[in-house]
Amino acid sequence: MPKYDHKKIENKWQRFWKKHPELFAADDKGKGEKKYILDMFPYPSGDGLHMGHVESYTATDIISRYWRMRGKNVLHPQGWDAFGLPAENYAVKTKIHPAETTKKSIETFKAQMNMLGLSYDWSREINSSDPEYYKWTQWFFLLFYKNGLAYKSKGKVNWCESCQTVLANEQAEGGVCERCGKEVAQKDLEQWYFKITDFIEDSGETSGLLYGLDKIDWPESTKAGQRNWIGKSEGAQFKMKIITAPAFGHPSSSEEGTGEVLDKLLEVFTTRLDTIFGMTFALIAPEHKLVQELKSKITNWSEVEKYIAETKKKSELQRMAEVKDKTGVELKGIKVLNPFTKKSISLFASDFVLAYYGTGAVMAVPAHDERDFAFAKKFGLPIDEVIKSADGQSSVVKEAYTEDGVLINSGEYDGLTSGEARKKMTQWLAKEKIGRGTINYKMRDWLVSRQRYWGAPIPIIYCDKCGEVPVPEKDLPVLLPTDVDFMPTGESPLAKSKKFHDVKCPKCGGVARRESDTMDTFVCSSWYYFRYADAKNDKEFISKAMFKKWLPVDLYVGGAEHVVLHLLYSRFFTKVLHKLGYIGFDEPFAKLRHQGIILAEDGRKMSKSLGNVIAPDSVVEQYGADALRMFEMFMGPLEDVKPWNTKGIIGISRFLERIWKLNKGVIASGAKQSRGGAAKNEIATSPTAPRKDKIETLLHKTIKKVSEDIENLKFNTAISAMMILVNESGGGANLTKEQYEIFLKLLSPFAPYIVEELWSQLGHKKSIFTEKWPEYNAALVKDETIQMPVQINGKVRAVLTAPSDISEEEAKKIAISDTTIIKWLGGQEPKKVIFVKGRLVNIVV
RNA sequence: GCCGCGGUGUUGGAAUUGGCAGACAAGAUGGACUCAAAAUCCAUUGGUGGCGACACCGUGAGAGUUCAAAUCUCUCCCGCGGCACCA
C-alpha cells in the first residue's frame, strides 16, 4: 500500500469525475423527490476563491452528495454573477475590457471549484453577462414595465462620484457607496425604478415582503434585517392651518384669529398622536416645497434662504455627524395652529427632518421625543409634559420621557393610556376631516438604472413621436456593444456608441434613440435561481414544467452581506411572478443559512492590506482538498464567525492518514478471518468478539448521527462522530470489510477524493457516489444497558449499570439499595424519589 | 439609541434541547521508538485540597423557577453583527 499522496489522488479523481458528469447531474425527467441545493453565485473577481467560499460551497456539496446517495434528484448548479461595477472599475484601472477579465476570472474560479471537488452540475452553468442570459433580464424589465412595475421618475437620488453612477438606497446605506466605500452625494436626476413598495403588504394570494418572512426558515437576524429595512410604522397624518403672525407676542400665547389664515396647510405624520397636547413647535425639512411657497409671508427670508443653502451643501454624512447638535431656523412671520389646542406655535426649518419620509414635516413634542427635546433646549422653546409613566414618575426636566404612559394636561383625553388616546384622537381627526390613521415605510422604490457600461442594457427606446417605447420581445436581447469607451464620465458610456444609440422606433419607424443606462446588477441576480432549472431554454426564461419540477430552492447558502440587497430583491421578483400568475409559490428560498466569516489567525478579518490572507490553493497544495474541506467543516458551526488556525488542520490531516491506513488494517484482518475459515465457535470464543459487537453498535450509532447532522448542517459534530469510530477501530483490526465500507460511505460527502481512492482499492469498479447511503439498524442504535446516574439532591453520588428499559419501580429499588447511596443517605428517609425514564434517578432528602 | 446574535478549559468547540458540563480536535507536559530530529504510538491535561480512594468549587455577574439550570425567567455587565435624526 503506497503512502497517502493527496496530490496524486486528487488529480486522478478530478479527471475521473470530469469524465462522468452523470454522477452529479440533475435529472429533468427523474421521478424521485427533488432537492434544490443552491450556493449564492459568486462574482468572479480576479482574486480567486477565498476561505468563505470554500466554507459555504463545501457545506452545500456535502448536502448534495448526501441527498444523491439517499436517492433524491438533486439540483446543485453554479454560475457567475459577472456583470457589475467591480469588474468595470478593474477594467478602467487596467484598460482591459471587462469581458476579458471576467472570462479569465471565471476560468480561475472554475478550476478552483474543481480542485475542491465540488459536485456541480456544470451543464446548467450560467453567466449573467452572457446575451443568452441577459436577454431574459431584459425580458423581466419589459414584464415589469408592461405591468406598471417599472417607471421613470425624477427625484433626489444617491450619486457616487467615484463610481460615476446612481445607486439604490440599499446600496447607499449610511451615506456611503456599497461598492467603493466613498461618500454618496444627492442629485436630482430622472431614473428608472421598480415598484417594490407595492409588494410590502400581502395582496390577494401573494404574501408581502413583510409577512412572507413568517413562513420561511431563515435566520432570525436576516428576517429582522429585512423588517428593519422595510421600516413599517403605524401612526396618523393630519393637516394644520398656517396663519400669519404678529411681529410681537409669545409663540404659544396667541390664539386663532390673531393672524390671517393662509390657504396652505402643513401636513405632518406622527406615531405619537397621544402626545399632541405637548406640541410646542413644528418642524419642516428645508427642501420642502412649502417653504418656497410661503416665501412671501416669511419675514426673515434671507436668513432662511441662507440656512437652506447651507444644508444643501452638507452631505448625508455630515448631517449624520450632527445628530447631537441640532441646527435650524425659525420661519418668522408665520405660525401653525395645533388643531387640538387651537394654540399657535412656531415653525422651524431643520435639516434633521427628512424630506423624503412621511410628509417631510413633523410636530415637535420636546417633552416626549429626544430630538425635539434637544432642539427645544437649544432654541429655548417650551417643554410641556403630557404623558406620565404608569408609576407616576416624571423626569422631563432632564430628558424626554419617550415611553407610552397615561395622558395629562390633555383636556378631555386626560387619564387615557397612550394606546387608547391614539385611537380616539385619530377618530377625532377623521371626524374633523383633517387627518387619518396611516402607515409609513422607510423602504422606497428600487432605483435600477445605472450610468455604467458593464451591465444589461435597459430595453427601452425613445421616439420623438411615440415617446417611451419598450423594445419588442422578439428584438431581445439588446446587445451590449463591445466597442465602447467604458471610461466613466458620469454619462452612460452606451450613449457614446452611435451604432447602439441611434435606432428606428419599433412603433413608427421614425428616428429614435436607445436608453443608454444599464441595469443594476442586482436585477440580474434577482432571478438567476430560476434559470438553472432550464438553463438552455431559448423560448422562455424557464418553462412551466421546469418551474414545477425544481422550484422553490430547498436550501440556499451564502453570505450575510446580502440581507437587504439580493435577498429582498429576489423575494420581490418571485412575488411579482406569483402575482402575475407565472408560479404557484411566492417565496424563492424555503431555507436559508449564512456561512460565518473565516477570520485570519490573528482574529482580524482577512484582508490583502493586512497581509493575513490564507488562500485556499496554498492549503490544498500542502494538505489536500479533502483536508481543507473537512477542516473548514470541523472548525465549528457553519454560521459562526471562526478564526483560521493553521495548526488545527493537523488534526484533520492525521485523521485522513489514519483512515488511509485503516484500509491495510481491514484487509489484513479480513485475510486472517478467511484463513481461519470463519468458524462460528472461533468468533464466539475470540477475545475480540465483544469488541466486534461493540463496534457494530457504534457504527450504527455513527450512521444515525452523521445522517442527522448532515441534514441539520451540523458538520462539525458529524466529523467528530466519525473520529470516534476511527479511534475505536483498532487501526482497522476491529472492522470487517463491510463495516469499513459503510464507514467510507459516511465519509464520502466530506472527503470525496480519499474515499473514491480507498473504495477503488477495495476492488470496486464503480464510483462510491453511485452507492446507496447506509441505513442504520434501529435495534442496534438503542442501548441495551445504560449508565444510570443516581443523584442525591441533584448531585451524582453513584452511577449504576441498568437495562435501558428499566421500570421506575426497579430503578428506585436498585438506587436505594446501592451501598454508596446508603452511605450517602446516612439513614435519612428520602422525601421523594424522581425517576426519568432511560436517564436517571434523583433522591430528594 | 434600536434590532439581532452570543459569552463554556490554554485554544476551536461539544452537551440527546431542563437530566453525569468540557465530546471531538488543537496546544502543552511526561514517556516509548530514534545516534538525533520529524513523524508515529501511549499517558496526563477545568480549578483547589489530598499519597490516595475521593471531596469541594466551576459554564460573564447577581437573583428567581425547579427534585434538577450552560440550557427557562428577570436585572445587569461585556463582545460581535446590522440599522441608525424614519417623527
Side-chain angles (χ1 to χ4, degrees):
Chain A
M1 179 116 182
K3 259 188 65 193
Y4 170 47
D5 180 347
H6 60 82
K7 274 186 211 169
K8 209 170 131 192
I9 293 168
E10 290 174 9
N11 235 305
K12 170 178 167 189
W13 292 101
Q14 262 160 33
R15 271 179 287 138
F16 178 84
W17 292 334
K18 198 165 187 178
K19 264 192 256 162
H20 294 277
E22 76 281 1
L23 285 170
F24 311 123
D27 184 357
D28 285 337
K29 296 185 187 74
K31 294 234 162 51
E33 188 197 340
K34 68 96 183 175
K35 289 275 178 190
Y36 188 174
I37 311 293
L38 184 64
D39 292 313
M40 285 186 187
F41 71 160
Y43 155 69
S45 83
D47 298 334
L49 291 183
H50 55 69
M51 287 302 187
H53 288 127
V54 178
E55 185 186 17
S56 63
Y57 298 164
T58 303
T60 52
D61 189 61
I62 290 168
I63 291 171
S64 299
R65 287 176 187 270
Y66 168 78
W67 283 123
R68 283 188 206 108
M69 290 171 86
R70 297 285 311 245
K72 306 288 190 230
N73 192 5
V74 173
L75 173 57
H76 185 45
Q78 187 58 289
W80 315 106
D81 186 13
F83 268 145
L85 276 180
E88 189 173 348
N89 288 343
Y90 183 76
V92 167
K93 212 166 74 187
T94 60
K95 306 267 190 302
I96 304 170
H97 196 278
E100 229 173 286
T101 52
T102 302
K103 188 170 168 253
K104 229 172 129 187
S105 296
I106 287 174
E107 278 164 20
T108 311
F109 266 58
K110 207 168 168 179
Q112 284 178 306
M113 287 173 176
N114 286 327
M115 166 186 89
L116 290 166
L118 302 174
S119 61
Y120 292 121
D121 179 351
W122 286 112
S123 71
R124 296 160 186 270
E125 181 179 355
I126 57 168
N127 175 340
S128 64
S129 69
D130 186 333
E132 288 302 304
Y133 182 90
Y134 69 70
K135 170 181 175 181
W136 299 109
T137 305
Q138 292 170 338
W139 179 88
F140 266 99
F141 185 96
L142 295 176
L143 178 76
F144 280 39
Y145 184 81
K146 285 170 197 161
N147 288 282
L149 297 171
Y151 65 95
K152 211 172 183 190
S153 160
K154 192 175 170 143
K156 273 236 159 25
V157 297
N158 302 296
W159 174 265
C160 177
E161 193 54 39
S162 156
C163 297
Q164 289 283 311
T165 184
V166 297
L167 300 168
N169 290 320
E170 287 81 354
Q171 292 161 338
E173 282 182 293
V176 163
C177 172
E178 184 244 346
R179 270 300 160 208
C180 68
K182 299 258 166 55
E183 213 176 274
V184 169
Q186 303 294 308
K187 270 195 178 181
D188 259 316
L189 291 170
E190 188 170 42
Q191 298 290 328
W192 283 99
Y193 293 85
F194 281 170
K195 239 182 188 169
I196 190 169
T197 52
D198 269 13
F199 289 79
I200 294 174
E201 300 290 347
D202 300 355
S203 133
E205 294 294 299
T206 312
S207 71
L209 292 166
L210 208 46
Y211 297 113
L213 291 170
D214 296 339
K215 60 180 184 186
I216 47 183
D217 179 8
W218 284 25
E220 208 37 62
S221 56
T222 305
K223 291 186 183 182
Q226 296 213 347
R227 286 192 193 105
N228 202 343
W229 183 256
I230 292 166
K232 179 177 184 172
S233 45
E234 292 179 56
Q237 201 162 308
F238 61 94
K239 288 173 180 157
M240 295 192 280
K241 285 180 186 164
I242 303 170
I243 57 169
T244 57
F248 305 101
H250 190 270
S252 61
S253 65
S254 54
E255 299 291 321
E256 183 172 13
T258 44
E260 168 205 354
V261 178
L262 302 174
D263 60 348
K264 300 271 185 274
L265 292 165
L266 180 72
E267 186 164 34
V268 296
F269 170 74
T270 181
T271 55
R272 291 300 306 272
L273 190 59
D274 54 312
T275 65
I276 189 149
F277 281 77
M279 167 166 62
T280 54
F281 57 100
L283 294 158
I284 187 164
E287 328 62 325
H288 200 294
K289 67 176 193 305
L290 192 63
V291 177
Q292 298 296 332
E293 288 168 3
L294 292 170
K295 183 175 170 181
S296 62
K297 306 288 178 189
I298 295 170
T299 53
N300 60 335
W301 180 253
S302 64
E303 202 189 336
V304 172
E305 199 170 32
K306 202 176 129 210
Y307 181 74
I308 294 171
E310 271 168 27
T311 55
K312 218 173 213 167
K313 264 192 284 176
K314 276 191 242 170
S315 68
E316 203 142 321
L317 273 188
Q318 270 171 299
R319 279 198 189 192
M320 271 186 267
E322 287 169 0
V323 168
K324 288 257 152 58
D325 185 34
K326 302 271 180 283
T327 64
V329 61
E330 186 178 352
L331 308 185
K332 290 194 176 143
I334 55 168
K335 297 278 179 191
V336 175
L337 288 178
N338 181 333
F340 283 80
T341 63
K342 306 288 192 268
K343 280 187 181 165
S344 74
I345 51 170
S346 305
L347 176 62
F348 288 79
S350 176
D351 66 359
F352 87 80
V353 179
L354 306 169
Y356 50 79
Y357 182 77
T359 61
V362 295
M363 66 179 215
V365 184
H368 305 292
D369 181 279
E370 277 172 41
R371 299 152 301 180
D372 299 346
F373 187 88
F375 195 90
K377 280 280 174 197
K378 181 161 176 184
F379 289 86
L381 296 158
I383 299 170
D384 293 350
E385 190 182 4
V386 292
I387 305 284
K388 268 220 188 299
S389 61
D391 56 16
Q393 297 283 327
S394 160
S395 57
V396 169
V397 185
K398 274 214 194 92
E399 54 177 6
Y401 175 75
T402 59
E403 306 287 306
D404 275 7
V406 179
L407 273 73
I408 54 166
N409 303 327
S410 298
E412 58 178 296
Y413 301 97
D414 277 359
L416 293 180
T417 64
S418 292
E420 293 163 351
R422 282 193 285 266
K423 247 187 237 156
K424 290 217 159 142
M425 288 170 155
T426 307
Q427 282 164 12
W428 184 84
L429 286 175
K431 200 185 81 201
E432 297 289 313
K433 297 203 163 61
I434 51 172
R436 65 203 155 87
T438 42
I439 293 169
N440 257 297
Y441 303 94
K442 280 205 263 180
M443 187 170 76
R444 277 162 290 149
D445 279 339
W446 174 15
L447 198 172
V448 295
S449 45
R450 296 289 178 275
Q451 292 69 55
R452 295 299 300 248
Y453 167 66
W454 194 234
I458 292 175
I460 292 286
I461 288 168
Y462 301 103
C463 169
D464 293 338
K465 257 197 260 160
C466 315
E468 207 172 85
V469 182
V471 173
E473 255 176 57
K474 64 172 174 49
D475 293 348
L476 295 183
V478 175
L479 283 174
L480 184 66
T482 50
D483 57 345
V484 163
D485 175 16
F486 48 79
M487 301 311 266
T489 58
E491 194 194 347
S492 300
L494 296 186
K496 287 180 261 175
S497 167
K498 260 192 152 356
K499 214 169 72 195
F500 176 82
H501 196 249
D502 301 339
V503 283
K504 275 192 206 139
C505 172
K507 250 193 199 163
C508 69
V511 178
R513 65 208 145 75
R514 272 191 205 285
E515 167 64 64
S516 55
D517 282 2
T518 53
M519 277 184 258
D520 180 3
T521 37
F522 281 100
V523 177
C524 310
S525 58
S526 293
W527 70 277
Y528 79 101
Y529 44 92
F530 295 131
R531 188 62 179 169
Y532 287 129
D534 202 1
K536 301 271 192 295
N537 193 334
D538 58 1
K539 303 275 186 299
E540 304 161 278
F541 74 100
I542 173 178
S543 72
K544 255 210 158 82
M546 289 302 110
F547 247 132
K548 269 224 167 91
K549 172 125 203 103
W550 294 112
L551 284 129
V553 174
D554 295 287
L555 174 68
Y556 196 28
V557 179
E561 67 274 16
H562 294 295
V563 164
V564 280
L565 291 161
H566 163 62
L567 290 169
L568 191 65
Y569 296 149
S570 295
R571 295 181 61 224
F572 164 53
F573 264 59
T574 303
K575 287 176 191 304
V576 170
L577 289 177
H578 183 261
K579 185 140 193 220
L580 298 179
Y582 281 83
I583 53 179
F585 56 93
D586 58 14
E587 286 289 345
F589 314 123
K591 177 171 175 170
L592 169 77
R593 293 293 180 272
H594 303 297
Q595 81 275 16
I597 297 170
I598 296 188
L599 301 170
E601 293 212 67
D602 56 15
R604 295 185 292 180
K605 270 195 184 174
M606 285 194 193
S607 92
K608 267 196 271 183
S609 58
L610 290 170
N612 56 5
V613 176
I614 305 215
D617 300 64
S618 67
V619 179
V620 170
E621 168 75 21
Q622 194 177 350
Y623 299 95
D626 281 338
L628 175 59
R629 286 170 61 111
M630 284 197 89
F631 181 56
E632 288 215 19
M633 294 300 101
F634 187 62
M635 279 165 62
L638 181 68
E639 311 207 17
D640 283 14
V641 174
K642 315 163 270 269
W644 178 262
N645 180 355
T646 297
K647 273 192 177 140
I649 199 169
I650 285 286
I652 293 291
S653 257
R654 287 179 188 149
F655 177 59
L656 291 174
E657 285 286 355
R658 227 170 276 161
I659 289 162
W660 185 256
K661 287 177 194 156
L662 274 187
N663 220 11
K664 207 166 126 193
V666 170
I667 290 164
S669 79
K672 203 164 60 203
Q673 275 167 17
S674 56
R675 217 181 308 129
K680 277 176 214 148
N681 60 345
E682 192 194 29
I683 290 169
T685 55
S686 151
T688 61
R691 291 206 67 173
K692 295 258 188 208
D693 283 349
K694 214 177 115 194
I695 212 92
E696 181 72 5
T697 305
L698 180 63
L699 178 71
H700 282 264
K701 283 185 178 175
T702 309
I703 297 171
K704 182 169 189 275
K705 175 82 179 148
V706 171
S707 311
E708 287 171 356
D709 278 355
I710 290 175
E711 291 185 29
N712 294 314
L713 290 87
K714 291 169 76 176
F715 307 110
N716 52 335
T717 47
I719 292 171
S720 92
M722 289 189 281
M723 284 174 165
I724 292 170
L725 181 67
V726 170
N727 290 347
E728 292 297 320
S729 69
N734 300 333
L735 289 176
T736 64
K737 190 179 171 220
E738 289 69 29
Q739 289 171 330
Y740 177 60
E741 288 184 349
I742 288 172
F743 167 72
L744 287 182
K745 288 179 196 171
L746 294 183
L747 182 66
S748 65
F750 296 83
Y753 289 112
I754 192 170
V755 170
E756 279 278 39
E757 178 62 26
L758 293 171
W759 185 252
S760 81
Q761 284 181 18
L762 290 172
H764 295 284
K765 292 284 176 283
K766 278 165 82 179
S767 164
I768 192 166
F769 296 105
T770 60
E771 290 290 316
K772 274 231 143 29
W773 188 258
E775 301 284 343
Y776 64 86
N777 178 338
L780 278 173
V781 167
K782 213 170 152 231
D783 285 311
E784 270 173 35
T785 61
I786 52 160
Q787 295 298 301
M788 184 179 72
V790 180
Q791 303 177 326
I792 295 176
N793 288 336
K795 279 207 159 79
V796 179
R797 293 306 182 188
V799 179
L800 307 178
T801 304
S804 57
D805 57 352
I806 189 167
S807 69
E808 174 157 5
E809 211 175 316
E810 187 64 21
K812 286 179 180 175
K813 206 173 98 191
I814 63 162
I816 294 194
S817 52
D818 180 72
T819 50
T820 46
I821 294 298
I822 290 168
K823 198 185 83 199
W824 275 101
L825 284 172
Q828 295 178 87
E829 259 317 296
K831 282 198 196 109
K832 201 163 142 193
V833 180
I834 286 152
F835 170 73
V836 184
K837 198 168 165 35
R839 291 252 192 275
L840 52 63
V841 173
N842 189 14
I843 301 166
V844 188
V845 290

